[in-house]
């Protein structure tokens, strides 16, 4: 398979993390994600790796979180890895600002077909309630309660069957 233009930047971004050249890693990721919008043919595995590098970079250098969040805001044609792209943005936003404006923005992008996991549903309720988004908070609370009521009950160690 032919190497696509954005793929070397993903490798550069990963390599720049190692010797702690974090600004170089950020620049390489920005180039890769920007190129991916116009050339959607890189190997999906490489682009998944780029998303994991973005999360790692945001963890190591929180001040880069807004730039990473912004470069991932635009969907990648033809919507390849869209769910993973949004999930990456959510993780970056939560780590940098908890329930701030970026977190709320990406949470709303998942509506109405939200992720069905306890951590996500909990975050959704917490953030919408904290922001005073009453209609979204009510829907989030309802989804959370539905999820919890469908979870199997924990094993009772009282010895009774």
């Amino acid at each position: 398979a032919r190497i696509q233009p954005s793929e070397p930047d993903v490798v550069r971004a990963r390599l720049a993390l190692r010797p702690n050249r974090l600004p170089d890693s950020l620049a390489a990721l920005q180039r890769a994600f920007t190129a991916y919008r116009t050339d959607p043919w890189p190997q999906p595995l490489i682009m998944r790796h780029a998303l994991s590098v973005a999360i790692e970079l945001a963890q190591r250098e929180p001040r880069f979180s807004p730039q990473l969040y912004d470069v991932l805001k635009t969907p990648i044609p033809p919507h390849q890895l869209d769910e993973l792209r949004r999930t990456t943005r959510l993780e970056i936003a939560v780590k940098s600002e908890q329930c701030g404006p970026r977190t709320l923005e990406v949470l709303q992008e998942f509506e109405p077909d939200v992720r069905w996991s306890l951590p996500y549903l909990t975050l959704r309720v917490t953030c919408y309630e904290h922001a005073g988004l009453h209609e979204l908070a009510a829907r989030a609370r309802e989804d959370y309660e539905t999820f919890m009521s469908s979870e199997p009950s924990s094993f009772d160690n009282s010895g009774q069957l």
Side-chain angles (χ1 to χ4, degrees), residues 82-111:
D82 210 36
E83 172 109 2
L84 186 56
R85 178 189 60 80
R86 286 187 299 172
T87 301
T88 299
R89 286 177 60 232
L90 180 61
E91 192 168 334
I92 289 169
V94 168
K95 286 184 188 323
S96 69
E97 64 179 29
Q98 301 299 313
C99 289
R102 288 182 179 93
T103 302
L104 291 168
E105 178 182 56
V106 74
L107 280 171
Q108 291 177 58
E109 288 176 15
F110 280 101
E111 301 290 340

Side-chain angles (χ1 to χ4, degrees), residues 2-160:
R2 195 175 134 244
I3 294 176
Q4 299 299 314
S6 59
E7 292 174 341
D9 278 322
V10 174
V11 175
R12 284 184 194 99
R14 167 55 73 194
L15 292 174
L17 284 176
R18 301 277 187 247
N20 227 16
R21 293 186 354 251
L22 303 182
D24 294 341
S25 183
L26 174 64
L29 282 175
Q30 289 174 313
R31 285 191 308 271
F33 289 128
T34 300
Y36 201 31
R37 290 182 206 141
T38 57
D39 179 25
W41 303 116
Q43 294 294 318
L45 178 64
I46 291 173
M47 296 317 291
R48 273 192 225 96
H49 185 69
L51 293 167
S52 70
V53 171
I55 291 169
E56 185 177 343
L57 180 58
Q59 289 170 337
R60 290 182 55 189
E61 188 55 74
R63 69 186 169 105
F64 291 160
S65 294
Q67 293 105 305
L68 291 165
Y69 180 89
D70 290 344
V71 78
L72 290 169
K73 191 171 187 171
T74 304
I76 300 167
H79 298 282
Q80 292 182 7
L81 306 175
D82 210 36
E83 172 109 2
L84 186 56
R85 178 189 60 80
R86 286 187 299 172
T87 301
T88 299
R89 286 177 60 232
L90 180 61
E91 192 168 334
I92 289 169
V94 168
K95 286 184 188 323
S96 69
E97 64 179 29
Q98 301 299 313
C99 289
R102 288 182 179 93
T103 302
L104 291 168
E105 178 182 56
V106 74
L107 280 171
Q108 291 177 58
E109 288 176 15
F110 280 101
E111 301 290 340
D113 302 314
V114 300
R115 300 182 67 210
W116 206 246
S117 71
L118 183 57
Y120 175 82
L121 294 170
T122 303
L123 174 70
R124 189 169 159 247
V125 168
T126 301
C127 290
Y128 288 161
E129 287 179 349
H130 178 74
L133 299 172
H134 303 294
E135 187 177 316
L136 289 169
R139 192 173 333 135
R141 172 73 52 198
E142 183 180 313
D143 288 345
Y144 173 84
E145 290 171 0
T146 299
F147 180 88
M148 293 305 290
S149 69
S150 66
E151 282 292 287
S153 56
S154 62
F155 184 72
D156 182 0
N157 288 332
S158 66
Q160 300 176 346

